[in-house]
Structures are given as structure tokens and as C-alpha cells.
Amino acid sequence: MCAWRPRRTRRRRRPHRSDSLTPRAVLVRLGLGAHVDPEDLEELTQLALSAGARPVATVTGRRERPDPRFFLGSGKAEEVRCVAESSEADVILVDHALTPSQERNLEQHTGRRVLDRNELILDIFAQRARSFEGKLEVELAQLKHLATRLVRGWTHLERQKGGIGLRGPGETQLETDRRLLGERVRVLTRRLGRIKQQRETGRRMRKEIPVPSVALVGYTNAGKSTLFRAVTGADAYVADQLFATLDPTVRRIRLPGGTPIVIADTVGFIRELPHELVAAFQATLTEAREASLLLHVIDASDPRRETHRAQVDEVLAEIGAERIPQVLVYNKIDRLGTAARLERDEESRAAAVWCSAARRDGLDLLQQAIAERLSRAARAARVRIPPAAGALRSQLYSRGAVREEHTLEDGTIDLAVELPEADLEALAREGGVQVLRPHAPADGEASDEAPCAAHDAYLESIV
């Protein structure tokens, strides 16, 4: 017989704390020449949460100008150190762009990792990028930012000896890091160049059938993806957080009148967007730069909506999209309790739409505004194409842009069309295609038609 043994009770594991691995962060924001705006502090909190950190303390202050050593000043830097120690923080998030020396001095003084605003946004982008292109763009931006942060902290690790008899210091670790970083930047640049060529091919294919393109732009978390999903029916990712989506999504739909258009959802903008990201995301932002119409989505419930609108316009000007027509879309009116409406400017053009994408309220007014602005953007012109360009003629008919057709004695096809200016400009650049004055001369009259080879030339030739 087996001897009796007491039953071993199984030790219960302590419940796992979900925040045990979440970095504890101290938020730092200074008012330069003014007091700290609570809205800026709230945005910093949202950025920290989006990055996966847990804010445990906040340090604010006011200075007339940044301190060359710490940016914050020696007294404020000491306060940050004490707050970080008392709150057992893991990281310090500074809502300003720090120089490499300021960031290094703060890290040495506080004994903790310091991230400035640019690094914080780059970290969020690195977590949110899903497409291959988006990941490459974020990595390239991170490497370019890291290149300014390499310091002589590894010079004691001399990896190679040079010269006869192993004389000389050889290549230091710092030089090796710079060389490897430069090689990786070149590799990423080549890969993104190939992807850019593929995107340009896709855009040219879309332009072969002149379909107007509409791009959604706006401040981050304004509801662009929700609006894109409501209008197109696409299964786009939606979340109430900053930079919920980064990768552009393009869908083709038809307006109520039957006009086909292409809608693109772009990355959200933010105050003081890092220049590394603006430079890296040029391929993505091209969707906005080459659009026929921009839908500037604004959070109607945001008390700083006009400030955010101005900041988005600054980024649009930086990427060369400031001259593209806009329709303001004031989203989230369900939070205000107001009704959907369509506002017009002094020229009776659709200028602003108040709607709620979440409740699908006012979407019919938005589609009406899009159709009106695109129809107003159309210009009359005469297009002459060679007889062999039957495919182009068929594409213009499928677009519904042809109003009249004649065949000249030499077989050239003369078409009276109505197209947006961007499409007329693209046609003017096609080989063998002429964009002419809209009214052909009568028989026996001298022709005053002239081909349009450039943007300014064809604008002067159309009525």
C-alpha cells in the first residue's frame, strides 16, 4: 500500500498587473513667453497614451527663451529629477524639440531616458505603420533623427587597428555606427524610390481614365477614417486615438449623379509635425498634393478647431498643396447637438458641411458639396488626338467628358470636352495630344487655336 500523503494545494498565482510593463512617464511642458495652454498639455497626454506610456506626473513652467544646456533651465531640470524619483518614472517626455546636447544633459542629470516631441511622434508612427512602405518611411525618419544623436560615447571601443604594425586608432565604434547607419539610409532610400515609381505608375493608370480624386486631410483624431469608412464602405481601422491610421487607403465610388471619383484617406497632421516625417512621407502625402479636391476634416467639438485648421494649412503649404480647392467638413456635430447643414461662400460655392460621420448624418450634403465643387472645377476645352489614340477617346467617353466630336481631314479626332484643370494639364503633356481653345473657327476663318504645352499656356487658352 502506498503511504497516505497530504494533498498538495496548488499555489495561486498573483494576478498579472497589466501596467507592470507599461512605462511610467513624467510629462514636461514649458510656456515660452506665455503660460502653458491646457489644450497643449492635454495633447501631450494623448500622445503619451498613444505611445503606450502611463503619465504619472506633470511638470510645467514658463520661460522667455530656452536654456542652452537643459532647455528647461537648471532649476526646472532639478524639479523634473525630483518628480521622476518620487513618482518612480521610467521615462521623461518633453513636449519640445530638444537638441542632442540638451537631451543628453537631461538624461545625465535625471538618470532616466528622455524623449522629446519628435522622438515621441516617431515612436507612435513606428507602432502604427502597417504597410511595407509605411514601415520603411518610419524607419528612414528614425534613422535620420538618430544620426543627429550619435555622440562619442563609444570611442574607447576601438574595433580595428590600422597601419603597419597595427599603429593608429583605426575605426572607432562611433565611426562604425555612422557608416552602418548611412548604409541603411541608402538602402531604404532606394527601396522607397522603387515603391514611389510603382505608386506613380498606379496614378498614371488612374489618370488614363480621368476620374477626379478627393483626398481627406485634417488634424489627427478629427474623424477622417470614420468619415472615409462611412462614405466609401471600406473596412478602415477606426479608433479614438492620435494617429490611428498612417497608411493611405484609396477607394473608388460614384456620387449620386453617377460621377465616379477616387477618395484617399491620408495621415493625420499635428502641431509641430517633425520635419523628418514630412520629408519621409512625401510619397504618402502625394495623394493630397495631386488631388482635385481636398476635404478638410475638422473636429467641430474641439474648442481649438480654428487653430488646428491653420496648422493643417501650414503643412499643406509645406507639401505644395495649398492651392487645391477645399471643402471644410465639420465632423462630430453629434457632440454639439446641432443639425447638419451646408454652408456656401459669397460666390454661392459649397464651402463647408456640418455632419456626423459616426451617425451618418449629413453625408448626403457632403456628397452634394463634392459633386458641385468638382463640376465647377471642370473647364471646357477642345482636345485633338491622333487617329491611333482610340483608347484615349474611349476613356474620355467612359468618363462622360465628351460634349462634341469631329474628325478632321487628316484623321485627327477633335473633341469638345469638359474636364478638371488637373486632367486637362495631364492631357496637354501627352504625346500627340493638343488642348486647344474651346471654340473652333468657322469655315474660311483663320484659326487662332494654339496648342497648350504647359500649365500657364493651357489656362490662357480655355474659357
Side-chain angles (χ1 to χ4, degrees):
M1 295 180 60
C2 297
W4 177 84
R5 295 179 180 178
R7 183 178 180 181
R8 298 180 60 183
T9 58
R10 187 175 182 179
R11 175 181 292 181
R12 299 183 60 184
R13 295 184 178 180
R14 298 178 60 184
H16 175 70
R17 292 181 56 187
S18 60
D19 60 345
S20 59
L21 300 179
T22 302
R24 299 165 60 89
V26 173
L27 309 184
V28 180
R29 170 74 186 179
L30 292 186
L32 298 178
H35 294 288
V36 175
D37 192 328
E39 295 293 336
D40 292 339
L41 200 58
E42 176 63 25
E43 183 178 271
L44 176 60
T45 303
Q46 293 298 322
L47 285 174
L49 294 174
S50 299
R54 183 162 64 95
V56 294
T58 302
V59 177
T60 60
R62 177 180 177 181
R63 287 185 63 89
E64 293 300 324
R65 62 183 61 87
D67 176 63
R69 183 183 180 190
F70 293 115
F71 187 92
L72 314 175
S74 57
K76 189 62 65 175
E78 178 64 19
E79 179 183 351
V80 171
R81 185 187 68 82
C82 295
V83 171
E85 289 183 354
S86 61
S87 60
E88 299 181 352
D90 304 304
V91 64
I92 298 172
L93 304 180
V94 181
D95 194 25
H96 303 275
L98 303 179
T99 65
S101 60
Q102 290 170 343
E103 182 178 314
R104 184 169 62 255
N105 292 336
L106 272 177
E107 287 186 344
Q108 293 175 352
H109 185 76
T110 61
R112 283 163 175 79
R113 182 77 173 96
V114 175
L115 294 181
D116 67 355
R117 180 181 178 85
N118 292 355
E119 291 175 311
L120 180 60
I121 296 177
L122 285 171
D123 183 76
I124 297 174
F125 273 52
Q127 297 180 41
R128 303 285 169 77
R130 293 294 178 266
S131 69
F132 179 67
E133 179 186 12
K135 293 178 181 180
L136 292 182
E137 288 173 332
V138 172
E139 183 181 356
L140 180 61
Q142 287 179 318
L143 291 178
K144 288 183 177 180
H145 184 80
L146 178 62
T148 65
R149 262 57 182 172
L150 291 180
V151 296
R152 295 186 178 277
W154 298 89
T155 52
H156 61 287
L157 297 178
E158 298 173 356
R159 301 183 56 169
Q160 300 176 9
K161 296 291 184 179
I164 300 177
L166 302 181
R167 295 176 300 176
E171 185 179 41
T172 63
Q173 181 66 44
L174 175 63
E175 294 168 342
T176 302
D177 292 342
R178 286 176 175 170
R179 176 172 54 81
L180 295 177
L181 189 146
E183 292 176 356
R184 181 60 179 170
V185 167
R186 287 189 290 272
V187 170
L188 294 177
T189 303
R190 287 196 299 267
R191 290 183 179 178
L192 286 173
R194 290 194 293 266
I195 296 177
K196 182 179 179 180
Q197 292 179 354
Q198 295 174 359
R199 282 193 173 273
E200 291 297 331
T201 302
R203 292 190 184 96
R204 286 196 299 268
M205 293 176 62
R206 293 204 303 263
K207 288 182 178 179
E208 290 179 357
I209 301 179
V211 177
S213 59
V214 178
L216 297 177
V217 298
Y219 208 79
T220 181
N221 206 27
K224 295 185 305 300
S225 297
T226 304
L227 182 64
F228 180 81
R229 188 173 187 173
V231 173
T232 65
D235 189 16
Y237 177 71
V238 176
D240 186 15
Q241 57 187 7
L242 302 184
F243 303 116
T245 55
L246 297 181
D247 304 311
T249 307
V250 180
R251 292 293 185 271
R252 181 171 177 171
I253 66 170
R254 287 187 178 273
L255 295 176
T259 303
I261 65 171
V262 172
I263 297 184
D265 184 16
T266 62
V267 63
F269 300 153
I270 197 172
R271 170 178 55 89
E272 300 174 10
L273 187 67
H275 293 287
E276 295 91 346
L277 283 177
V278 175
F281 277 78
Q282 285 295 330
T284 301
L285 297 175
T286 302
E287 298 290 348
R289 188 170 58 245
E290 296 188 355
S292 306
L293 179 67
L294 296 180
L295 298 183
H296 189 159
V297 184
I298 303 171
D299 185 355
S301 63
D302 191 346
R304 302 185 64 191
R305 64 192 186 197
E306 295 304 321
T307 302
H308 291 168
R309 172 187 170 184
Q311 290 164 349
V312 171
D313 288 336
E314 290 179 2
V315 179
L316 291 175
E318 187 174 351
I319 65 175
E322 70 277 10
R323 295 185 178 181
I324 300 177
Q326 288 189 20
V327 171
L328 303 181
V329 182
Y330 289 94
N331 190 25
K332 303 182 182 181
I333 61 172
D334 52 292
R335 299 182 179 181
L336 300 178
T338 59
R341 64 183 185 272
L342 172 63
E343 296 180 350
R344 300 183 180 275
D345 57 14
E346 60 277 2
E347 300 180 6
S348 298
R349 298 179 302 183
V353 177
W354 294 71
C355 65
S356 172
R359 297 187 178 181
R360 306 183 65 87
D361 186 14
L363 297 185
D364 54 338
L365 298 177
L366 177 60
Q367 294 179 343
Q368 177 185 343
I370 296 174
E372 289 184 11
R373 293 301 297 267
L374 291 179
S375 63
R376 282 176 174 264
R379 296 290 184 267
R382 301 199 73 88
V383 177
R384 290 184 176 179
I385 61 178
L392 178 58
R393 172 182 173 274
S394 176
Q395 292 161 3
L396 291 174
Y397 268 100
S398 64
R399 170 68 175 84
V402 179
R403 300 294 178 263
E404 187 179 351
E405 177 180 350
H406 297 284
T407 302
L408 304 183
E409 295 181 356
D410 59 353
T412 301
I413 303 175
D414 182 86
L415 301 173
V417 300
E418 289 186 5
L419 287 172
E421 293 180 358
D423 298 329
L424 288 174
E425 183 180 4
L427 284 174
R429 295 172 180 170
E430 292 287 339
V433 177
Q434 293 181 339
V435 179
L436 309 171
R437 295 181 182 274
H439 301 293
D443 293 339
E445 295 182 358
S447 173
D448 61 350
E449 295 175 342
C452 308
H455 178 70
D456 294 337
Y458 91 81
L459 281 181
E460 296 174 356
S461 68
I462 52 182
V463 176

